Structure formats: structure tokens, C-alpha cells
Amino acid sequence: MGLSAASLPFRVVNPDGQWKAMAVQKEVAPGILCELIFTRIGFGDRLLVLSAPIAGEGDDSLEAFAERIQGAFTAYQSKVLSDESTTRMGFNGRGLRMDLASDSDAMECELFVFVDEQVWWGVLHTKPKGAQIEAESAFRFLHKKVPVPADVVGMAPYRVRDNPISSFPIGFEVIRNPGSDRISSMVVNFVPAGSASELAGVREGDVIVAIDGRKSEDFAIGVGKDTELGRIFLNRKPGDQVRLELHRPGAEKTFTVRLRVPR
């Protein structure tokens, strides 16, 4: 199928850059491809994205697809701990928790299988057995993609530039909370070299925790001049200021910077 992270039916909310994607496109069982592997840096757990076209013949069921994936790990002894209908990432499907063990390795796993656009999908979260990571935590980073209505213009990522659309020399990506019209997170993705933002200490990858003392999650999503964000970042007069509270991945504390519209 030749997938990329952009063509998945779900998206990975990755504000801190924890997850790194690697294309694999390897057949792990007859008709089942491991398309992508997401590795969470520093935690030792992985997400395997598996897919198979629905052929319309044989035992086409979520249970059968899950068993085919389980059987792909022939080097391991498997023990199913639970098997139930459940919901993950906004999809209805089937979830299995299981242990996999070989002579040299042992893993705790959660498998979720579902159907989308005539394709069987499986997401397998693996971690070293005994690791201090919640088995379901990885699925909290995954969200079903919501189609953009025909009469709506989608903008992602939202990059604010010094000129002409913004008064402040900074760009950021706005990630929407899938359960509301509010922001899930804001991440700096552009800092012009030599700009006031760079001199203030802002770096690409910094997470914007608050704007002028107000938490980022309290802002409505939107990028127009009449939106909450637009009134802060667009069409400001020289000398106007904005205060940003930032968190840098890997740092223990947040820090505050004050940006001023250049004169």
C-alpha cells in the first residue's frame, strides 16, 4: 500500500517530538503488511501499523484479522490476557492485551484492530515487560482524522510570519482538541534567524503553554483576523507586546518570554 504517516486514517499528536516514524512495508504474514513503525524516544515502546485489504472471501472478521496478526509473531509464545470489543482513536474495533515471550525477550502488548475504507487496520503497541509505561498510554497520542467539510478551508500547520500576516517574528503549529473547538497544543515551528524571538530565547519545538497568562488550551481554534489568536498575533501596532509561557521538551520548568512588535 506504500503508506506514509500522512495517509493513515488516524493522526499522531506529537507535540514534543516523542514519536519517530519509520516506513517499513514488510509482509509479516500472508496478506498483512507492517507499513510503519513509530518509536517513542527514551521509552523503549513501539507502535506497529499493520494493514490488509478486505478480500471479501474466507473468514473476514476482526477476530480473524487479530488472530492472523498474533500468528505473525511465530518466534514468540503468546498469551492473551483480554479480548473485547472496544473503542480507540475514535474507531469501533477489537482490542487484545497479550504477553509475548521468547528465549531472549518478553513484551507486553496491546493490539487494536478496526476497519476503515475497505482496509483492515491493526495498531500494535509493544513495550518491554515490566517497563513503567501504561499499556494504553500510546493510544492517547492517536486520534481519528476528521474530514474537512467542503465549505471549510483547512489550514495546517498554521505558520505566523513577521511579514506580512503577523506582527511577531514567530511561527507555530496549532493542534486541535478532537473533542472540542479548543486547542490541544501549540508548538513553535518557525523562529527567524536573528529575530527578536530568537534573541528572547525562543526555539523551534518549544510548546506554548500560555499566552498573556491564559492557558493555550482555553483558546478557540481558528486563524482569521477576528479569531482569538488572530487578535493577538495579527495586525498589531509597533511596540505592542505578547507574553508567552513556554515549555522546552526535556526541561523540568517552563519559562516566560516577552515579544514586542518591531518598530
Side-chain angles (χ1 to χ4, degrees):
M1 297 177 67
L3 292 179
S4 66
S7 59
L8 297 174
F10 53 84
R11 59 190 178 89
V12 180
V13 178
N14 192 26
D16 296 334
Q18 294 184 48
W19 292 96
K20 302 298 182 183
M22 179 177 66
V24 180
Q25 299 179 27
K26 177 182 179 182
E27 190 173 57
V28 297
I32 299 180
L33 290 181
C34 179
E35 299 271 5
L36 292 167
I37 296 178
F38 289 94
T39 302
R40 185 154 50 158
I41 305 301
F43 287 87
D45 57 333
R46 299 188 300 171
L47 285 169
L48 283 67
V49 179
L50 307 145
S51 67
I54 297 179
E57 55 189 41
D59 188 0
D60 265 353
S61 66
L62 289 176
E63 294 85 350
F65 182 54
E67 289 177 2
R68 289 167 62 193
I69 293 175
Q70 186 181 354
F73 294 87
T74 55
Y76 290 84
Q77 293 182 343
S78 60
K79 178 182 178 182
V80 176
L81 304 178
S82 65
D83 182 356
E84 60 182 358
S85 297
T86 186
T87 300
R88 291 279 189 272
M89 308 175 290
F91 293 97
N92 296 322
R94 196 156 196 89
L96 286 81
R97 294 182 186 272
M98 55 188 176
D99 285 345
L100 297 178
S102 67
D103 293 338
S104 59
D105 196 11
M107 296 186 295
E108 296 178 21
C109 308
E110 182 177 11
L111 171 65
F112 177 66
V113 292
F114 63 99
V115 179
D116 184 69
E117 298 292 339
Q118 294 300 304
V119 176
W120 297 112
W121 290 97
V123 180
L124 180 64
H125 177 212
T126 70
K127 66 170 185 173
K129 192 169 179 60
Q132 297 300 312
I133 307 171
E134 292 185 24
E136 68 173 2
S137 63
F139 286 90
R140 297 174 184 171
F141 294 90
L142 308 179
H143 300 277
K144 182 178 182 178
K145 287 183 177 177
V146 179
V148 178
D151 59 345
V152 174
V153 177
M155 298 182 65
Y158 172 35
R159 174 169 286 188
V160 181
R161 288 187 179 275
D162 184 19
N163 186 25
I165 68 169
S166 172
S167 304
F168 299 98
I170 187 175
F172 51 84
E173 181 180 6
V174 178
I175 300 173
R176 180 175 187 160
N177 186 326
S180 71
D181 63 349
R182 300 284 152 176
I183 291 172
S184 173
S185 64
M186 298 176 63
V187 184
V188 176
N189 65 0
F190 177 66
V191 181
S195 66
S197 301
E198 184 181 59
L199 295 176
V202 182
R203 300 291 181 265
E204 292 185 12
D206 288 346
V207 179
I208 301 175
V209 177
I211 304 171
D212 286 335
R214 181 181 172 190
K215 291 183 179 179
S216 299
E217 292 89 343
D218 292 340
F219 284 89
I221 199 77
V223 297
K225 65 179 182 179
D226 294 324
T227 65
E228 292 182 301
L229 292 179
R231 286 190 287 271
I232 293 174
F233 288 98
L234 306 181
N235 301 322
R236 298 294 295 271
K237 298 178 181 178
D240 286 349
Q241 299 182 46
V242 63
R243 189 174 77 255
L244 302 180
E245 183 180 349
L246 303 173
H247 174 260
R248 184 158 298 162
E252 295 183 1
K253 298 180 179 180
T254 61
F255 62 100
T256 301
V257 299
R258 189 179 298 274
L259 304 182
R260 185 188 299 270
V261 178
R263 294 188 180 277

